[in-house]
Amino acid sequence: MPADICLSSLKLTDFRNYRQAGLQLDGRHVVLTGNNGAGKTNLLEAVSLLSPGRGLRRATYAQIGRQGAEAGFSVFATLDGMAGAVSIGTGTDGAEGSARKLRINGAPAASTEDLLEHLRVIWLTPAMDGLFTGQAAERRRFLDRMVLAIDPTHGRRVTDFEKAMRSRNRLLSEGRFDPAWLSGLEHQMASLGIAMAVARRELLSLLTALVSEVDTPFPAPRTSLTGFFADDIQAPAIDLEDRYSVMLEEGRRRDAAAGRTLDGPHRSDLIVYHAQKEIEAALGSTGEQKALLLGLVLAHARLTRRISGHPPIMLFDEVAAHLDSNRRAALFTMIDEIGGQAFMTGTDRALFAAIGDNGQFFQVNDGGVVAD
């Protein structure tokens, strides 16, 4: 059964190990099988570039272009999107340091955030397995991508905050304690930083409410934020902005000595708990962590549909191999219920037998994709 929001074609040129590749899709879920290293994840990465940012690997554009190619790379897709049928093309021209270009229906787009008017893309990859035990920066990035799927303005908010913070750090490192200049930057950081914190908190509150409504075979995640006004973020935003501005002003000498800004939303951390066991996810077994992360991503997909009115495109890289047959079948059923088109990879087609006629299967070999 075709998904509500779905790609109808995908074409790659000089992308990773693909000189040329094309898929004609009929709206069903897409299952990509093949040996390790064949290029399955590369196809998911191409789809992930239909969203703002650098995709699911966060690779540089030089890394994405096929080795030996001189003209950059391109990804072209047609889809039934949130605003109707649309064609999207993105890529680079191969020049060193060149930015990613984007065309929507053949016209240049002002920003990659324009993609959010047509689709939302979420993903789960093996590289995310260490999310709960890794660095806080990775969890913040994961959290901000979740917020972006339901609040398209959040990406610009984060970018502008980081830009203002870098300018402040540079002034402090150079010993330029100009009150007017620093105050202007700090007021901008306060406005953006509190808005970021409130948006993150709102996202987690909505997720918590949704998780309590849905019964799934996966562990229920419970989330919280630590650091940066974590205990009083419910106070009026204008009061928090004033407090943060004062905090930044009083911390100038300290931050100058540290070489960085020590207070702000860039120091928050996302903490996830196994709700049934009441333990922090980082303390659970590897299997529990994988199941918790999958439950969190699925809950976020449901929330994205509820808030935006449309299901996301979902990318699951090698997810089925770690699930028993009952949980695999449950996963596929939940994906169907969410309603978005899912792209899934694996080395063994048999792992996806429960998808049945709801899936369109492709065999991936090095540099080539054929219908299976």
Side-chain angles (χ1 to χ4, degrees):
M1 181 176 64
D4 295 347
I5 301 293
C6 59
L7 273 66
S8 53
S9 70
L10 179 68
K11 181 180 179 181
L12 312 182
T13 302
D14 288 331
F15 188 96
R16 294 287 187 180
N17 65 327
Y18 294 98
R19 181 185 296 274
Q20 293 277 348
L23 285 76
Q24 294 300 315
L25 309 173
D26 59 16
R28 292 178 292 169
H29 303 311
V30 178
V31 180
L32 305 164
T33 59
N35 295 330
N36 290 328
K40 304 185 298 295
T41 305
N42 295 344
L43 291 166
L44 297 193
E45 183 180 28
V47 178
S48 74
L49 289 178
L50 301 179
S51 64
R54 299 213 309 266
L56 58 81
R57 284 191 175 113
R58 289 189 54 77
T60 65
Y61 299 140
Q63 292 172 319
I64 293 175
R66 186 177 61 84
Q67 188 172 4
E70 298 180 355
F73 70 87
S74 69
V75 176
F76 181 81
T78 57
L79 61 142
D80 293 322
M82 297 161 61
V86 64
S87 64
I88 298 172
T90 188
T92 64
D93 58 13
E96 186 174 353
S98 62
R100 176 157 72 106
K101 296 177 174 59
L102 173 66
R103 287 182 174 270
I104 298 177
N105 287 332
S111 166
T112 57
E113 291 176 0
D114 291 353
L115 290 165
L116 297 172
E117 298 176 9
H118 302 281
L119 77 164
R120 311 291 165 86
V121 186
I122 66 172
W123 54 76
L124 179 61
T125 71
M128 296 164 61
D129 286 350
L131 183 73
F132 302 134
T133 56
Q135 297 180 350
E138 291 300 318
R139 288 187 290 277
R140 283 193 298 274
R141 189 174 294 116
F142 174 77
L143 174 59
D144 284 334
R145 281 208 63 85
M146 287 200 295
V147 177
L148 185 64
I150 66 169
D151 180 359
T153 63
H154 188 67
R156 177 55 54 189
R157 200 180 289 143
V158 173
T159 299
D160 289 347
F161 174 85
E162 292 176 346
K163 182 179 178 181
M165 182 172 64
R166 285 195 299 270
S167 296
R168 176 179 182 269
N169 290 345
R170 185 168 57 252
L171 288 175
L172 294 178
S173 68
E174 295 171 354
R176 298 161 64 188
F177 288 82
D178 182 290
W181 204 346
L182 284 171
S183 292
L185 289 170
E186 288 164 356
H187 280 99
Q188 184 181 11
M189 289 174 62
S191 175
L192 293 166
I194 296 303
M196 287 168 58
V198 170
R200 289 169 173 173
R201 178 67 63 184
E202 178 66 14
L203 178 278
L204 295 182
S205 177
L206 292 170
L207 268 180
T208 297
L210 185 144
V211 166
S212 68
E213 297 173 7
V214 181
D215 184 26
T216 80
F218 301 102
R222 181 168 61 82
T223 58
S224 68
L225 276 176
T226 62
F228 193 62
F229 294 142
D231 298 328
D232 50 7
I233 197 63
Q234 302 294 345
I238 189 65
D239 293 343
L240 293 175
E241 288 178 19
D242 290 343
R243 288 169 56 187
Y244 187 31
S245 291
V246 171
M247 189 184 301
L248 289 170
E249 181 179 354
E250 293 178 345
R252 289 173 186 172
R253 296 289 176 183
R254 181 199 58 178
D255 291 349
R260 63 188 187 278
T261 299
L262 295 176
D263 295 309
H266 62 295
R267 305 282 286 180
S268 297
D269 196 2
L270 169 67
I271 307 298
V272 179
Y273 299 87
H274 189 305
Q276 289 91 340
K277 291 190 173 183
E278 285 297 325
I279 62 170
E280 192 173 330
L283 301 178
S285 68
T286 300
E288 286 175 330
Q289 290 182 30
K290 289 177 182 290
L292 266 172
L293 184 56
L294 179 54
L296 184 57
V297 170
L298 289 169
H300 178 236
R302 288 181 182 275
L303 181 62
T304 299
R305 174 164 190 158
R306 177 175 296 184
I307 299 299
S308 72
H310 301 277
I313 299 291
M314 297 167 281
L315 312 179
F316 295 103
D317 193 15
E318 301 288 351
V319 68
H322 304 293
L323 303 174
D324 59 35
S325 58
N326 291 332
R327 275 190 169 174
R328 282 200 302 272
L331 169 63
F332 302 147
T333 297
M334 292 175 68
I335 290 172
D336 284 339
E337 291 172 349
I338 291 168
Q341 185 182 37
F343 288 71
M344 293 168 273
T345 70
T347 55
D348 186 356
R349 174 172 171 153
L351 294 173
F352 303 95
I355 293 179
D357 292 337
N358 286 339
Q360 190 176 1
F361 291 77
F362 293 88
Q363 180 70 29
V364 181
N365 296 304
D366 190 23
V369 187
V370 295
D372 188 1

